[in-house]
Amino acid sequence: MIEDQQPTTNNQQLITIVGAGLVGSLLSLYLRKQNFEVKILERRKDPRTGNVDHGRSINLALSHRGIRALKEAGVQISILEKAIPMRGRMIHDVKGKRNFIPYGEQGQMIYSVSRSELNRMLIEEAEKAGASINFNASCHEIDFKNSSITINQEGQEQKISSDIILGADGAFSDVRSAMQKYDKFNYSQEYLEHGYKELQIPAKDGKHQLEKNALHIWPREKFMLIALPNLDGSFTCTLFLPHEGAVSFSKLKDNVSLKKFFKKYFSDVYGLMPDLEKYFFGNPTSSLVTIKCSPWYFERTMLIGDAAHAIVPFYGQGMNCGFEDCVVLDELIAKHNENWETILNEYQLLRKPDSDAIADLAIANFVEVRDKTADPVFLLQKKIEARFSEKHPDKWIPLYTMVTFSPKIRYSKALQGGNKQQSIMDKIMAMPDIDKKWDSDEIEKLILSEIN
């Protein structure tokens, strides 16, 4: 039996959010502040009951864009209390030598947060703010013309009518799938040849076995391992490796091949992972996908977050980008006084170029981190850029700083600026004896002339 829940008639518009993940939960806080009635539909069980999807919870790197969004929603302080600051990258070479590369300027840092813990906290805040959350509610059908959703919740069908529907249900969105049935909907998904596997370095006597305030990276050209710190003293590690090939997940089929692989490529961390086999063979091998689509809205239903623009995790911006979506939408709602036709159109015009830009940047950063962070030429280039930026901060903001620490710079502008900077650095790095004169007046003047 289908019961039809209608929008309220007390001058409050009802907005239904599909998805109680990170973006959906945070979005509800913004909408409640603007006095909308908010209903959230989530196909999963309530994650606060302990139902966590182990093996697919890559730790998240919270940076300035995400922090800004949390701050404006009023939940920054409580969430940062559960985060660990990471002041730079700790690069581990194949021989075990370590090289620490700070992020940006003095004092700039990103934060390691647990995806599951952050989601639980945001769900709690959403309920406190007055949002209604329906768990175990799968979306079966969407009537875009009438802004209604038919859901199945624990065997019972229900039809929910809303003023606005916002699809925040992730990379494999039910809302987007419904949109794909309509004419002139553009959609693309591109998988990397690499997959990922979640592993762990446990705490020792309650303490971290590696430098706590760093993002650890073991770059090995065609693959890499990373580790982010947790509050309990452990590290969540992620191995990024091709699915197939000479060195790939397909070749690691037993304990013998796994141990041989780790001893060869990650010898300094192998001894810190006593349960390597348990995690490797117990956790799934997951895929990495970039999803782009357009338009983002039909009638009064719109996609937001990963549902509109899923990206690979190599710039640490997936969550931050989704959180920034909430900020932009909130500003447009206030600007256009609930004129939804204008809001949805302007939102797409603003965010589509930025989401495409960060998707491309994330792929490029994977190549950079995997292949170049142990390369002396690359490290010299970064040293030159940092030195020039220190002398001329008004003329040169490094790409990573623009993306990670400069929320007022749009991703699309950062991409344009980064491309221009790289063309300049290509000329600088091709100069004879650049390793000897990198900090000279000659180099400084040449960069200045190229900028101007």
Side-chain angles (χ1 to χ4, degrees), residues 251-425:
K251 300 297 183 182
L252 304 179
K253 295 186 176 297
D254 52 39
N255 289 348
V256 174
S257 58
L258 179 64
K259 289 180 180 179
K260 182 179 179 181
F261 172 75
F262 263 79
K263 285 181 179 180
K264 179 177 181 179
Y265 293 108
F266 309 113
S267 58
D268 65 326
V269 75
Y270 172 73
L272 306 181
M273 306 172 77
D275 296 321
L276 174 62
E277 295 89 347
K278 168 189 168 184
Y279 284 99
F280 188 90
F281 294 111
N283 286 338
T285 302
S286 302
S287 298
L288 296 160
V289 64
T290 298
I291 292 175
K292 297 180 181 179
C293 66
S294 68
W296 286 357
Y297 69 94
F298 281 142
E299 301 289 346
R300 294 165 72 84
T301 298
M302 188 182 75
L303 303 172
I304 191 168
D306 281 358
H309 49 71
I311 66 176
V312 294
F314 303 112
Y315 226 118
Q317 288 297 305
M319 171 187 64
N320 292 286
C321 181
F323 282 1
E324 190 173 66
D325 287 349
C326 300
V327 174
V328 174
L329 182 59
D330 180 64
E331 291 172 347
L332 292 174
I333 292 171
K335 176 183 176 181
H336 296 298
N337 195 29
E338 300 177 19
N339 181 339
W340 283 101
E341 183 177 355
T342 301
I343 291 166
L344 300 182
N345 184 59
E346 189 170 336
Y347 174 82
Q348 177 176 276
L349 289 173
L350 284 171
R351 293 302 285 168
K352 175 65 173 164
D354 289 336
S355 68
D356 286 349
I358 192 58
D360 294 342
L361 283 165
I363 295 291
N365 203 53
F366 176 41
V367 176
E368 177 177 304
V369 172
R370 182 194 69 193
D371 297 359
K372 299 180 181 179
T373 48
D375 180 0
V377 175
F378 172 80
L379 295 176
L380 176 59
Q381 176 180 325
K382 291 304 174 185
K383 186 186 293 187
I384 296 170
E385 290 184 49
R387 182 62 173 151
F388 186 81
S389 178
E390 181 184 345
K391 290 183 175 181
H392 304 279
D394 58 325
K395 296 183 180 297
W396 190 288
I397 303 174
L399 175 59
Y400 189 86
T401 299
M402 285 192 279
V403 170
T404 307
F405 300 113
S406 307
K408 292 184 179 180
I409 299 177
R410 294 178 59 178
Y411 289 125
S412 52
K413 294 296 184 183
L415 177 58
Q416 292 172 13
N419 288 338
K420 181 179 179 180
Q421 290 176 354
Q422 187 57 50
S423 68
I424 294 172
M425 291 308 301

Side-chain angles (χ1 to χ4, degrees), residues 434-448:
I434 184 61
D435 57 324
K436 297 181 177 64
K437 59 184 180 182
W438 68 271
D439 197 19
S440 65
D441 291 341
E442 176 190 356
I443 300 302
E444 181 179 353
K445 290 176 181 178
L446 182 55
I447 297 175
L448 283 170

